[in-house]
Amino acid sequence: MGSPRSGRRAAWPGPVPRRPPHRHRDLPEWRITYGEDHDQTLRSANNLAVSFRLVGRLQEALELDEETLRRRDKYTGSSQASTLEVATRYGRDLRDVGELERSQERLEKTLATAREVFGSDHRVTLTAAKNLVVTWRRRGRLDEAYELITTTSHGYERTMGPRHPDALACGLEVACVRSARGDHDEACQLTEDVLSRYNEILGPDHPFTLAAANDLAIFRARAGNNAMARPLIEDTAGRFVNALGPDHPYTLVCQMNLANAHIAAKEVSEALRLDEHCLHHLSAKFKREHPTVLAAAANLAVAMREMGAQQEAAARLAEVAETAARVLGPTHPNTIAIQQGTRINSDIEPAET
Protein backbone atom coordinates (compact mmCIF):
# COMPACT_ATOMS: atom_id res chain seq x y z
CA MET A 1 0.00 0.00 0.00
CA GLY A 2 1.13 3.56 -0.69
CA SER A 3 0.98 6.53 1.62
CA PRO A 4 -2.42 7.88 2.66
CA ARG A 5 -2.22 10.49 -0.08
CA SER A 6 -1.26 8.06 -2.82
CA GLY A 7 -3.49 5.16 -1.76
CA ARG A 8 -7.21 4.70 -2.34
CA ARG A 9 -9.12 7.68 -0.96
CA ALA A 10 -12.59 7.33 0.41
CA ALA A 11 -15.24 8.65 -1.95
CA TRP A 12 -18.13 10.74 -0.72
CA PRO A 13 -21.12 8.43 -0.35
CA GLY A 14 -24.30 9.19 -2.21
CA PRO A 15 -27.84 8.86 -0.85
CA VAL A 16 -28.32 5.82 1.37
CA PRO A 17 -31.00 3.42 0.10
CA ARG A 18 -33.47 1.86 2.51
CA ARG A 19 -32.65 -1.59 1.13
CA PRO A 20 -29.29 -3.01 0.03
CA PRO A 21 -28.77 -2.32 -3.70
CA HIS A 22 -27.81 -4.92 -6.29
CA ARG A 23 -24.74 -5.89 -4.25
CA HIS A 24 -26.77 -8.66 -2.60
CA ARG A 25 -27.13 -10.25 -6.05
CA ASP A 26 -23.48 -9.74 -6.99
CA LEU A 27 -22.00 -11.75 -4.14
CA PRO A 28 -23.51 -15.15 -5.11
CA GLU A 29 -22.35 -14.59 -8.69
CA TRP A 30 -18.78 -13.90 -7.57
CA ARG A 31 -18.84 -16.99 -5.36
CA ILE A 32 -20.03 -19.19 -8.22
CA THR A 33 -17.61 -17.73 -10.77
CA TYR A 34 -14.43 -17.30 -8.72
CA GLY A 35 -14.97 -19.20 -5.47
CA GLU A 36 -15.47 -18.21 -1.84
CA ASP A 37 -11.90 -17.01 -1.23
CA HIS A 38 -11.13 -14.98 -4.37
CA ASP A 39 -10.15 -11.37 -3.73
CA GLN A 40 -13.04 -10.03 -5.80
CA THR A 41 -15.50 -12.26 -3.95
CA LEU A 42 -14.24 -10.95 -0.63
CA ARG A 43 -14.45 -7.36 -1.89
CA SER A 44 -18.04 -8.00 -2.94
CA ALA A 45 -18.78 -9.39 0.52
CA ASN A 46 -17.28 -6.25 2.03
CA ASN A 47 -19.48 -4.05 -0.16
CA LEU A 48 -22.59 -5.94 0.83
CA ALA A 49 -21.71 -5.61 4.52
CA VAL A 50 -21.35 -1.85 4.03
CA SER A 51 -24.81 -1.76 2.49
CA PHE A 52 -26.27 -3.81 5.34
CA ARG A 53 -24.76 -1.38 7.84
CA LEU A 54 -26.05 1.71 6.03
CA VAL A 55 -29.63 0.44 5.90
CA GLY A 56 -29.57 -0.61 9.54
CA ARG A 57 -29.24 -4.39 9.16
CA LEU A 58 -26.43 -4.49 11.68
CA GLN A 59 -26.51 -8.15 12.65
CA GLU A 60 -26.22 -9.18 9.02
CA ALA A 61 -23.29 -6.80 8.55
CA LEU A 62 -21.58 -8.37 11.55
CA GLU A 63 -22.06 -11.93 10.34
CA LEU A 64 -20.81 -11.16 6.84
CA ASP A 65 -17.78 -9.20 8.06
CA GLU A 66 -16.94 -11.98 10.52
CA GLU A 67 -16.88 -14.53 7.70
CA THR A 68 -14.92 -12.20 5.40
CA LEU A 69 -12.36 -11.53 8.12
CA ARG A 70 -11.89 -15.26 8.71
CA ARG A 71 -11.18 -15.79 5.01
CA ARG A 72 -8.94 -12.70 4.76
CA ASP A 73 -6.90 -13.88 7.74
CA LYS A 74 -6.41 -17.29 6.18
CA TYR A 75 -5.86 -16.45 2.51
CA THR A 76 -4.70 -12.81 2.42
CA GLY A 77 -2.78 -12.55 5.68
CA SER A 78 -3.58 -10.86 8.97
CA SER A 79 -1.26 -7.88 8.41
CA GLN A 80 -2.49 -6.89 4.95
CA ALA A 81 -4.40 -3.62 4.55
CA SER A 82 -7.51 -5.35 3.20
CA THR A 83 -7.60 -7.68 6.20
CA LEU A 84 -7.10 -4.86 8.69
CA GLU A 85 -9.87 -2.83 7.05
CA VAL A 86 -12.30 -5.71 7.50
CA ALA A 87 -11.08 -6.23 11.05
CA THR A 88 -11.86 -2.59 11.86
CA ARG A 89 -15.32 -2.85 10.35
CA TYR A 90 -15.92 -6.03 12.31
CA GLY A 91 -14.89 -4.18 15.47
CA ARG A 92 -17.47 -1.54 14.64
CA ASP A 93 -20.08 -4.20 13.95
CA LEU A 94 -19.51 -5.66 17.40
CA ARG A 95 -20.01 -2.21 18.91
CA ASP A 96 -23.14 -1.63 16.85
CA VAL A 97 -24.79 -4.80 18.19
CA GLY A 98 -23.79 -4.01 21.77
CA GLU A 99 -20.70 -6.23 22.19
CA LEU A 100 -18.50 -3.45 23.57
CA GLU A 101 -15.87 -5.60 25.28
CA ARG A 102 -15.34 -7.77 22.20
CA SER A 103 -15.27 -4.63 20.05
CA GLN A 104 -12.52 -3.17 22.21
CA GLU A 105 -10.45 -6.36 22.06
CA ARG A 106 -10.74 -6.56 18.28
CA LEU A 107 -9.95 -2.89 17.67
CA GLU A 108 -7.01 -2.75 20.09
CA LYS A 109 -5.46 -5.73 18.32
CA THR A 110 -6.15 -4.25 14.89
CA LEU A 111 -4.72 -0.85 15.80
CA ALA A 112 -1.53 -2.39 17.21
CA THR A 113 -0.97 -4.37 14.00
CA ALA A 114 -1.75 -1.41 11.75
CA ARG A 115 0.70 0.83 13.62
CA GLU A 116 3.43 -1.78 13.38
CA VAL A 117 2.93 -2.45 9.67
CA PHE A 118 1.85 0.95 8.26
CA GLY A 119 2.72 3.59 10.85
CA SER A 120 0.52 5.97 12.81
CA ASP A 121 -0.63 8.24 9.96
CA HIS A 122 -1.75 5.63 7.44
CA ARG A 123 -5.45 5.59 6.56
CA VAL A 124 -5.87 2.01 7.84
CA THR A 125 -4.32 2.95 11.19
CA LEU A 126 -6.34 6.14 11.57
CA THR A 127 -9.62 4.35 10.86
CA ALA A 128 -8.85 1.69 13.45
CA ALA A 129 -7.85 4.35 15.99
CA LYS A 130 -10.99 6.42 15.48
CA ASN A 131 -13.16 3.33 15.90
CA LEU A 132 -11.34 2.31 19.06
CA VAL A 133 -12.00 5.78 20.47
CA VAL A 134 -15.75 5.32 19.94
CA THR A 135 -15.70 1.97 21.71
CA TRP A 136 -13.60 3.32 24.58
CA ARG A 137 -15.96 6.27 24.96
CA ARG A 138 -19.02 4.07 25.00
CA ARG A 139 -17.37 1.93 27.66
CA GLY A 140 -16.75 5.05 29.75
CA ARG A 141 -12.96 5.11 29.25
CA LEU A 142 -12.93 8.83 28.55
CA ASP A 143 -9.31 9.72 29.39
CA GLU A 144 -7.96 7.11 27.00
CA ALA A 145 -10.48 8.14 24.35
CA TYR A 146 -9.49 11.81 24.68
CA GLU A 147 -5.77 11.11 24.31
CA LEU A 148 -6.21 8.86 21.26
CA ILE A 149 -8.76 11.02 19.43
CA THR A 150 -6.47 14.04 19.81
CA THR A 151 -3.55 12.31 18.09
CA THR A 152 -5.86 10.69 15.52
CA SER A 153 -7.50 13.98 14.51
CA HIS A 154 -4.05 15.51 14.02
CA GLY A 155 -3.16 12.54 11.81
CA TYR A 156 -6.21 13.12 9.65
CA GLU A 157 -5.38 16.81 9.35
CA ARG A 158 -1.82 16.05 8.24
CA THR A 159 -2.66 13.38 5.70
CA MET A 160 -6.18 13.94 4.37
CA GLY A 161 -7.26 17.51 5.00
CA PRO A 162 -10.40 18.86 6.69
CA ARG A 163 -12.91 17.99 3.94
CA HIS A 164 -12.16 14.29 3.64
CA PRO A 165 -15.17 12.19 4.79
CA ASP A 166 -13.10 10.24 7.31
CA ALA A 167 -11.66 13.48 8.70
CA LEU A 168 -15.14 14.90 9.23
CA ALA A 169 -16.30 11.74 10.98
CA CYS A 170 -13.22 11.97 13.18
CA GLY A 171 -14.01 15.62 13.91
CA LEU A 172 -17.47 14.61 15.03
CA GLU A 173 -15.98 12.02 17.37
CA VAL A 174 -13.65 14.67 18.82
CA ALA A 175 -16.80 16.61 19.72
CA CYS A 176 -18.44 13.51 21.22
CA VAL A 177 -15.44 12.92 23.46
CA ARG A 178 -15.32 16.58 24.50
CA SER A 179 -19.00 16.50 25.43
CA ALA A 180 -18.63 13.21 27.30
CA ARG A 181 -15.91 14.90 29.38
CA GLY A 182 -18.23 17.82 30.14
CA ASP A 183 -16.99 20.41 27.63
CA HIS A 184 -20.35 20.88 25.92
CA ASP A 185 -19.73 24.38 24.57
CA GLU A 186 -16.54 23.30 22.78
CA ALA A 187 -18.39 20.23 21.46
CA CYS A 188 -21.08 22.51 20.03
CA GLN A 189 -18.53 24.69 18.27
CA LEU A 190 -16.72 21.72 16.76
CA THR A 191 -19.95 20.09 15.60
CA GLU A 192 -21.28 23.28 14.06
CA ASP A 193 -18.20 23.30 11.81
CA VAL A 194 -18.60 19.62 10.90
CA LEU A 195 -22.31 20.07 10.21
CA SER A 196 -21.62 23.06 7.99
CA ARG A 197 -19.17 21.04 5.89
CA TYR A 198 -21.54 18.06 5.64
CA ASN A 199 -24.33 20.41 4.54
CA GLU A 200 -22.11 21.98 1.92
CA ILE A 201 -20.81 18.71 0.48
CA LEU A 202 -23.69 16.24 0.98
CA GLY A 203 -26.76 18.41 1.53
CA PRO A 204 -29.17 18.65 4.48
CA ASP A 205 -30.85 15.26 4.06
CA HIS A 206 -27.87 12.93 3.87
CA PRO A 207 -27.66 10.57 6.88
CA PHE A 208 -24.15 11.79 7.72
CA THR A 209 -25.40 15.38 7.84
CA LEU A 210 -28.32 14.27 9.98
CA ALA A 211 -26.00 12.38 12.33
CA ALA A 212 -24.04 15.58 12.92
CA ALA A 213 -27.27 17.54 13.42
CA ASN A 214 -28.48 14.99 15.98
CA ASP A 215 -25.21 15.24 17.87
CA LEU A 216 -25.22 19.04 17.80
CA ALA A 217 -28.74 19.06 19.23
CA ILE A 218 -27.81 16.83 22.16
CA PHE A 219 -24.66 18.86 22.86
CA ARG A 220 -26.78 22.02 22.95
CA ALA A 221 -29.21 20.34 25.32
CA ARG A 222 -26.35 19.23 27.59
CA ALA A 223 -25.09 22.81 27.57
CA GLY A 224 -28.53 23.96 28.75
CA ASN A 225 -29.48 25.57 25.44
CA ASN A 226 -32.82 23.81 24.94
CA ALA A 227 -34.19 26.73 22.93
CA MET A 228 -31.73 25.95 20.12
CA ALA A 229 -31.67 22.18 20.65
CA ARG A 230 -35.44 21.65 20.33
CA PRO A 231 -36.05 22.92 16.75
CA LEU A 232 -32.90 21.22 15.47
CA ILE A 233 -33.79 17.80 16.88
CA GLU A 234 -37.39 18.10 15.66
CA ASP A 235 -36.24 18.90 12.14
CA THR A 236 -33.58 16.17 12.19
CA ALA A 237 -36.00 13.50 13.40
CA GLY A 238 -38.38 14.25 10.56
CA ARG A 239 -35.58 14.18 8.00
CA PHE A 240 -34.34 10.83 9.31
CA VAL A 241 -37.80 9.31 8.80
CA ASN A 242 -37.83 10.57 5.21
CA ALA A 243 -34.25 9.52 4.50
CA LEU A 244 -34.03 6.11 6.19
CA GLY A 245 -37.53 5.14 7.27
CA PRO A 246 -39.28 5.10 10.65
CA ASP A 247 -37.57 2.06 12.17
CA HIS A 248 -33.93 2.58 11.14
CA PRO A 249 -31.69 2.60 14.25
CA TYR A 250 -30.53 6.16 13.48
CA THR A 251 -34.14 7.33 13.24
CA LEU A 252 -35.03 5.69 16.54
CA VAL A 253 -32.01 7.13 18.37
CA CYS A 254 -32.87 10.60 17.09
CA GLN A 255 -36.46 10.14 18.26
CA MET A 256 -35.16 9.18 21.71
CA ASN A 257 -33.43 12.55 21.80
CA LEU A 258 -36.59 14.26 20.58
CA ALA A 259 -38.45 12.67 23.49
CA ASN A 260 -35.86 14.25 25.80
CA ALA A 261 -36.68 17.63 24.26
CA HIS A 262 -40.37 17.01 24.96
CA ILE A 263 -39.56 16.25 28.60
CA ALA A 264 -37.55 19.47 28.86
CA ALA A 265 -40.61 21.35 27.57
CA LYS A 266 -42.92 19.54 30.06
CA GLU A 267 -44.65 17.70 27.19
CA VAL A 268 -44.62 14.43 29.06
CA SER A 269 -47.38 12.55 27.24
CA GLU A 270 -45.66 13.11 23.86
CA ALA A 271 -42.35 11.99 25.34
CA LEU A 272 -43.99 8.86 26.74
CA ARG A 273 -45.45 8.02 23.33
CA LEU A 274 -42.07 8.36 21.65
CA ASP A 275 -40.29 6.43 24.40
CA GLU A 276 -42.69 3.51 24.04
CA HIS A 277 -42.27 3.55 20.25
CA CYS A 278 -38.46 3.63 20.43
CA LEU A 279 -38.14 0.92 23.04
CA HIS A 280 -40.52 -1.37 21.14
CA HIS A 281 -38.63 -1.08 17.85
CA LEU A 282 -35.13 -1.11 19.32
CA SER A 283 -35.97 -4.22 21.37
CA ALA A 284 -36.97 -5.94 18.14
CA LYS A 285 -33.55 -5.18 16.63
CA PHE A 286 -31.15 -5.63 19.54
CA LYS A 287 -30.71 -7.76 22.61
CA ARG A 288 -32.07 -6.61 25.96
CA GLU A 289 -28.56 -5.74 27.24
CA HIS A 290 -27.71 -3.48 24.30
CA PRO A 291 -26.67 -0.06 25.68
CA THR A 292 -29.15 1.78 23.45
CA VAL A 293 -31.98 -0.50 24.55
CA LEU A 294 -31.02 0.10 28.18
CA ALA A 295 -31.08 3.86 27.57
CA ALA A 296 -34.49 3.61 25.90
CA ALA A 297 -35.87 1.50 28.75
CA ALA A 298 -34.56 3.93 31.35
CA ASN A 299 -35.96 6.93 29.51
CA LEU A 300 -39.38 5.28 29.33
CA ALA A 301 -39.30 4.62 33.06
CA VAL A 302 -38.51 8.28 33.72
CA ALA A 303 -41.42 9.36 31.51
CA MET A 304 -43.70 6.98 33.39
CA ARG A 305 -42.55 8.54 36.65
CA GLU A 306 -43.32 12.00 35.28
CA MET A 307 -46.80 10.78 34.37
CA GLY A 308 -47.38 9.68 37.97
CA ALA A 309 -46.67 5.91 37.78
CA GLN A 310 -44.14 6.13 40.58
CA GLN A 311 -43.97 2.52 41.75
CA GLU A 312 -43.81 0.93 38.31
CA ALA A 313 -41.24 3.49 37.18
CA ALA A 314 -39.04 2.84 40.22
CA ALA A 315 -39.18 -0.91 39.66
CA ARG A 316 -38.28 -0.53 35.99
CA LEU A 317 -35.40 1.83 36.75
CA ALA A 318 -34.01 -0.53 39.38
CA GLU A 319 -34.08 -3.43 36.92
CA VAL A 320 -32.41 -1.43 34.15
CA ALA A 321 -29.81 -0.05 36.57
CA GLU A 322 -28.89 -3.56 37.68
CA THR A 323 -28.43 -4.66 34.07
CA ALA A 324 -26.44 -1.54 33.20
CA ALA A 325 -24.11 -2.06 36.17
CA ARG A 326 -23.46 -5.60 35.00
CA VAL A 327 -23.05 -4.77 31.30
CA LEU A 328 -21.43 -1.31 31.40
CA GLY A 329 -20.00 -1.28 34.91
CA PRO A 330 -21.15 0.48 38.08
CA THR A 331 -19.18 3.68 37.37
CA HIS A 332 -20.22 4.08 33.74
CA PRO A 333 -21.91 7.46 33.11
CA ASN A 334 -25.07 5.79 31.79
CA THR A 335 -25.28 3.47 34.79
CA ILE A 336 -25.04 6.44 37.13
CA ALA A 337 -27.64 8.37 35.11
CA ILE A 338 -30.05 5.44 35.29
CA GLN A 339 -29.51 5.05 39.04
CA GLN A 340 -30.25 8.76 39.46
CA GLY A 341 -33.32 8.62 37.23
CA THR A 342 -31.79 11.01 34.71
CA ARG A 343 -32.71 10.70 31.03
CA ILE A 344 -30.00 9.68 28.55
CA ASN A 345 -29.40 11.19 25.14
CA SER A 346 -27.52 9.32 22.42
CA ASP A 347 -25.10 10.34 19.69
CA ILE A 348 -25.03 8.91 16.17
CA GLU A 349 -21.80 7.93 14.46
CA PRO A 350 -21.59 8.14 10.64
CA ALA A 351 -20.84 4.73 9.14
CA GLU A 352 -17.69 4.00 7.16
CA THR A 353 -18.31 3.33 3.48
Side-chain angles (χ1 to χ4, degrees), residues 14-85:
V16 176
R18 295 190 185 182
R19 297 178 180 177
H22 64 274
R23 291 171 177 173
H24 71 288
R25 297 193 299 271
D26 290 345
L27 181 55
E29 294 176 3
W30 282 110
R31 285 171 171 166
I32 292 171
T33 305
Y34 292 101
E36 297 275 1
D37 305 314
H38 191 277
D39 183 68
Q40 288 298 333
T41 304
L42 297 176
R43 289 181 183 275
S44 180
N46 166 75
N47 291 343
L48 180 56
V50 168
S51 293
F52 280 146
R53 189 177 306 110
L54 290 172
V55 300
R57 292 166 61 173
L58 303 179
Q59 184 64 38
E60 290 167 279
L62 172 103
E63 293 169 359
L64 189 53
D65 278 335
E66 185 174 32
E67 174 64 15
T68 303
L69 178 59
R70 186 184 67 80
R71 294 182 182 278
R72 283 288 188 195
D73 269 334
K74 183 175 181 179
Y75 295 103
T76 307
S78 60
S79 63
Q80 294 298 307
S82 56
T83 305
L84 293 170
E85 288 173 336

Side-chain angles (χ1 to χ4, degrees), residues 212-252:
N214 171 87
D215 294 356
L216 177 57
I218 67 173
F219 300 154
R220 286 175 174 173
R222 290 174 183 171
N225 193 349
N226 290 312
M228 292 186 69
R230 168 69 179 268
L232 179 58
I233 201 65
E234 282 185 326
D235 178 69
T236 305
R239 291 178 185 272
F240 262 130
V241 172
N242 292 332
L244 298 178
D247 64 345
H248 191 286
Y250 288 2
T251 304
L252 295 169

Side-chain angles (χ1 to χ4, degrees), residues 61-344:
L62 172 103
E63 293 169 359
L64 189 53
D65 278 335
E66 185 174 32
E67 174 64 15
T68 303
L69 178 59
R70 186 184 67 80
R71 294 182 182 278
R72 283 288 188 195
D73 269 334
K74 183 175 181 179
Y75 295 103
T76 307
S78 60
S79 63
Q80 294 298 307
S82 56
T83 305
L84 293 170
E85 288 173 336
V86 177
T88 295
R89 284 190 288 270
Y90 179 54
R92 175 181 179 134
D93 294 332
L94 289 167
R95 179 174 68 247
D96 284 343
V97 301
E99 296 285 347
L100 297 183
E101 184 173 357
R102 292 177 61 201
S103 172
Q104 178 180 312
E105 292 172 356
R106 168 54 59 182
L107 291 169
E108 286 177 343
K109 178 181 177 181
T110 303
L111 176 58
T113 303
R115 280 175 171 165
E116 181 180 353
V117 176
F118 295 107
S120 295
D121 280 352
H122 193 279
R123 171 182 49 81
V124 170
T125 308
L126 293 171
T127 304
K130 178 259 182 183
N131 271 277
L132 178 57
V133 168
V134 180
T135 297
W136 273 347
R137 174 171 61 83
R138 293 190 176 167
R139 295 201 73 194
R141 299 175 62 168
L142 301 182
D143 291 340
E144 292 160 293
Y146 179 77
E147 181 178 350
L148 182 55
I149 199 61
T150 300
T151 59
T152 303
S153 64
H154 292 162
Y156 274 117
E157 291 171 5
R158 286 191 298 269
T159 59
M160 298 183 182
R163 293 172 62 88
H164 191 280
D166 293 348
L168 285 181
C170 181
L172 190 57
E173 181 56 27
V174 172
C176 287
V177 173
R178 293 284 181 87
S179 180
R181 286 165 58 90
D183 195 351
H184 308 308
D185 290 332
E186 178 68 16
C188 288
Q189 293 177 14
L190 291 169
T191 310
E192 284 168 359
D193 180 63
V194 172
L195 178 58
S196 176
R197 293 180 186 274
Y198 273 140
N199 263 309
E200 176 188 350
I201 299 168
L202 295 177
D205 296 315
H206 193 281
F208 293 4
T209 308
L210 298 177
N214 171 87
D215 294 356
L216 177 57
I218 67 173
F219 300 154
R220 286 175 174 173
R222 290 174 183 171
N225 193 349
N226 290 312
M228 292 186 69
R230 168 69 179 268
L232 179 58
I233 201 65
E234 282 185 326
D235 178 69
T236 305
R239 291 178 185 272
F240 262 130
V241 172
N242 292 332
L244 298 178
D247 64 345
H248 191 286
Y250 288 2
T251 304
L252 295 169
V253 166
C254 188
Q255 289 177 334
M256 288 171 58
N257 297 325
L258 176 57
N260 290 339
H262 284 304
I263 287 288
K266 308 299 183 183
E267 299 163 355
V268 182
S269 60
E270 183 60 22
L272 181 67
R273 183 192 67 81
L274 273 176
D275 286 336
E276 290 174 337
H277 169 83
C278 292
L279 179 59
H280 172 75
H281 287 280
L282 287 168
S283 296
K285 295 177 180 296
F286 302 120
K287 61 184 181 180
R288 177 175 171 271
E289 295 83 6
H290 192 290
T292 305
V293 176
L294 293 176
N299 286 355
L300 175 58
V302 174
M304 293 173 64
R305 183 188 64 193
E306 295 295 316
M307 289 290 289
Q310 300 287 341
Q311 290 186 341
E312 183 178 0
R316 285 176 176 244
L317 277 173
E319 181 182 358
V320 178
E322 181 181 355
T323 305
R326 174 170 50 83
V327 173
L328 299 174
T331 62
H332 191 281
N334 282 15
T335 303
I336 294 172
I338 295 167
Q339 290 170 340
Q340 295 175 344
T342 303
R343 290 180 67 93
I344 297 170

